[in-house]
Amino acid sequence: MKGSSTLLLVVLTLSFICGLTTGEDNNEFFMDFLQTLLVGTAEELYEGPLGKYNVNEDAKEALTELKSCIDNLQPMHKAELVKLLVQVLGSQDDA
């Protein structure tokens, strides 16, 4: 249940943040965020995609927990998520 609450908090936070950006910035932010979440560190999240936002401590705690969950995925599952992200990024380049 704790993981579900964390995921819900992150989704709501991202919805709010994405609502502050417009158009193409939305897609770019979201893809950068996902890439960093999958293969970066929690600190890179705050310095990179979230760098221009004031992320409060509760949101940081939730993001750190989410990052930990992703880092603890089976390697094959994490690899599949990375492949999916690459596929999505590739389809955006074609558009």
Side-chain angles (χ1 to χ4, degrees), residues 39-51:
V39 296
T41 65
E43 292 76 27
E44 288 172 330
L45 281 171
Y46 309 127
E47 295 168 2
L50 297 174

Side-chain angles (χ1 to χ4, degrees), residues 45-63:
L45 281 171
Y46 309 127
E47 295 168 2
L50 297 174
K52 63 182 178 180
Y53 302 101
N54 183 16
V55 181
N56 68 43
E57 289 305 312
D58 290 336
K60 282 184 179 182
E61 186 177 326
L63 287 167

Side-chain angles (χ1 to χ4, degrees):
M1 184 64 119
K2 188 175 182 181
S4 298
S5 298
T6 300
L7 184 57
L8 178 61
L9 177 60
V10 170
V11 169
L12 290 173
T13 301
L14 286 176
S15 297
F16 175 74
I17 290 171
C18 289
L20 296 177
T21 61
T22 58
E24 203 171 296
D25 289 344
N26 243 357
N27 291 336
E28 186 177 327
F29 166 82
F30 191 65
M31 296 312 287
D32 191 27
F33 179 83
L34 283 177
Q35 181 177 0
T36 306
L37 194 60
L38 287 171
V39 296
T41 65
E43 292 76 27
E44 288 172 330
L45 281 171
Y46 309 127
E47 295 168 2
L50 297 174
K52 63 182 178 180
Y53 302 101
N54 183 16
V55 181
N56 68 43
E57 289 305 312
D58 290 336
K60 282 184 179 182
E61 186 177 326
L63 287 167
T64 299
E65 188 170 332
L66 179 62
K67 178 68 179 130
S68 175
C69 290
I70 289 171
D71 288 345
N72 289 319
L73 286 173
Q74 293 291 325
M76 64 182 244
H77 294 147
K78 190 171 179 180
E80 288 301 317
L81 290 173
V82 170
K83 283 179 13 183
L84 177 61
L85 181 61
V86 168
Q87 180 182 0
V88 170
L89 287 172
S91 68
Q92 285 184 345
D93 290 341
D94 295 339

